């Protein structure tokens, strides 16, 4: 049986080892799919390579024409310039695009981009990191293909809880402070604990 070809398309920043929220999430998604989709071929195209050589454009086109599914993680320039081209190729080939949104800028960014709004409404799925952004895309643009996939990070961190008080819960939110980032969730959790008399005291740290 022929294996499914999954293309992860976004900014990896491998060439200069650029580390940011964008590149880290894109790399994590790629590594996760390689581990979880053993019955598929998972490969990637780093859109930052396009700034180094025109030859990379041909490599991008080649990969787009052999993939069966595209996992799309664009930054703003990628969405503005590459997405229409990507969309047309996938419509011709009948290949689904699954867009994993990074950050909270999408709803504001596409406000005056009518073509992008139409195209985004027709792709298979858009996964936002927060319920707030999902609601905005549905309310403002009538998108019917939006779901929530909360942000995650692959690491080897194991908390040391041996000395902790079992009745204390230490909550940490690490991000740029922006309501669209979902920081209110941490306060909602603290209120839930208090309201339901769970006998746990919570300490909140926002970094």
């Amino acid at each position: 049986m022929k294996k499914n070809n999954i293309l992860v398309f976004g900014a990896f920043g491998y060439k200069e080892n650029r580390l940011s929220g964008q590149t880290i999430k894109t790399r994590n998604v790629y590594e996760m799919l390689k581990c979880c989709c053993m019955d598929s071929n998972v490969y990637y195209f780093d859109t930052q390579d396009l700034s180094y050589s025109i030859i990379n454009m041909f490599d991008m086109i080649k990969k787009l024409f052999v993939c069966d599914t595209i996992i799309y993680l664009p930054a703003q320039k990628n969405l503005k310039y590459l997405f229409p081209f990507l969309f047309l190729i996938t419509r011709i080939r009948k290949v689904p695009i699954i867009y994993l949104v990074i950050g909270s800028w999408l709803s504001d960014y596409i406000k005056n981009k009518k073509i992008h709004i139409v195209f985004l409404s027709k792709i298979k799925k858009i996964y936002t990191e927060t319920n707030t952004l999902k609601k905005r895309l549905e309310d403002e643009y009538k998108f019917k293909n939006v779901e929530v996939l909360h942000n995650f990070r692959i690491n080897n961190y194991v908390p040391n809880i041996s000395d902790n008080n079992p009745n204390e819960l230490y909550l940490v939110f690490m991000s740029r402070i922006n309501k669209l980032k979902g920081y209110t969730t941490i306060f909602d959790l603290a209120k839930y604990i208090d309201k339901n008399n769970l006998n746990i005291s919570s300490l909140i740290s926002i970094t």
Side-chain angles (χ1 to χ4, degrees), residues 1-6 37 39-43 67-69:
M1 181 181 293
K2 179 181 177 295
K3 283 190 173 184
N4 187 47
N5 293 318
I6 300 174
C37 302
D39 58 344
S40 299
N41 297 314
V42 182
Y43 53 102
C67 69
D68 301 304
T69 303

Side-chain angles (χ1 to χ4, degrees), residues 60-76:
M60 178 187 77
I61 294 172
K62 177 183 176 182
K63 288 179 176 178
L64 290 175
F65 273 93
V66 298
C67 69
D68 301 304
T69 303
I70 295 177
I71 308 299
Y72 186 49
L73 298 99
Q76 293 180 357

Side-chain angles (χ1 to χ4, degrees), residues 36-190:
C36 298
C37 302
M38 302 298 292
D39 58 344
S40 299
N41 297 314
V42 182
Y43 53 102
Y44 73 91
F45 180 78
D46 188 346
T47 53
Q48 292 184 347
D49 286 349
L50 293 173
S51 61
Y52 295 102
S53 172
I54 190 65
I55 295 176
N56 293 323
M57 175 67 76
F58 295 104
D59 181 47
M60 178 187 77
I61 294 172
K62 177 183 176 182
K63 288 179 176 178
L64 290 175
F65 273 93
V66 298
C67 69
D68 301 304
T69 303
I70 295 177
I71 308 299
Y72 186 49
L73 298 99
Q76 293 180 357
K77 285 186 179 179
N78 184 324
L79 185 67
K80 182 177 181 179
Y81 298 110
L82 290 180
F83 175 64
F85 171 73
L86 193 74
F87 178 82
L88 293 174
I89 288 180
T90 57
R91 293 294 280 188
I92 293 171
R93 297 194 57 237
K94 296 182 173 57
V95 170
I97 297 176
I98 299 174
Y99 178 4
L100 304 187
V101 180
I102 299 175
S104 58
W105 49 266
L106 181 61
S107 57
D108 292 326
Y109 186 74
I110 63 174
K111 189 164 294 183
N112 298 313
K113 295 177 172 58
K114 294 182 179 179
I115 292 178
H116 287 73
I117 293 171
V118 172
F119 286 1
L120 286 169
S121 71
K122 295 180 181 298
I123 67 175
K124 183 177 179 62
K125 194 69 68 176
I126 299 172
Y127 286 101
T128 64
E129 294 179 343
T130 65
N131 291 306
T132 303
L133 181 56
K134 176 180 184 292
K135 188 174 188 307
R136 287 192 64 185
L137 292 173
E138 292 173 337
D139 291 349
E140 297 173 20
Y141 305 106
K142 310 305 177 187
F143 286 176
K144 301 184 184 302
N145 56 344
V146 187
E147 299 291 343
V148 176
L149 177 63
H150 296 296
N151 201 3
F152 64 93
R153 176 79 177 269
I154 298 174
N155 59 57
N156 297 319
Y157 172 70
V158 178
N160 181 6
I161 61 174
S162 58
D163 298 326
N164 289 358
N165 186 330
N167 293 326
E168 291 182 352
L169 180 63
Y170 190 31
L171 306 174
V172 181
F173 181 85
M174 300 177 64
S175 179
R176 178 166 53 86
I177 305 306
N178 184 313
K179 188 172 183 179
L180 292 177
K181 287 280 190 177
Y183 76 86
T184 55
T185 301
I186 202 168
F187 295 106
D188 293 339
L189 176 58

Side-chain angles (χ1 to χ4, degrees), residues 10-14 16-28 46 48 73-75 102-103 105 129 151-153 181:
F12 288 80
Y14 283 140
E16 297 179 2
N17 196 27
R18 298 181 186 178
L19 296 178
S20 65
Q22 179 80 32
T23 59
I24 289 172
K25 179 168 180 177
T26 305
R27 295 181 190 187
N28 282 339
D46 188 346
Q48 292 184 347
L73 298 99
I102 299 175
W105 49 266
E129 294 179 343
N151 201 3
F152 64 93
R153 176 79 177 269
K181 287 280 190 177

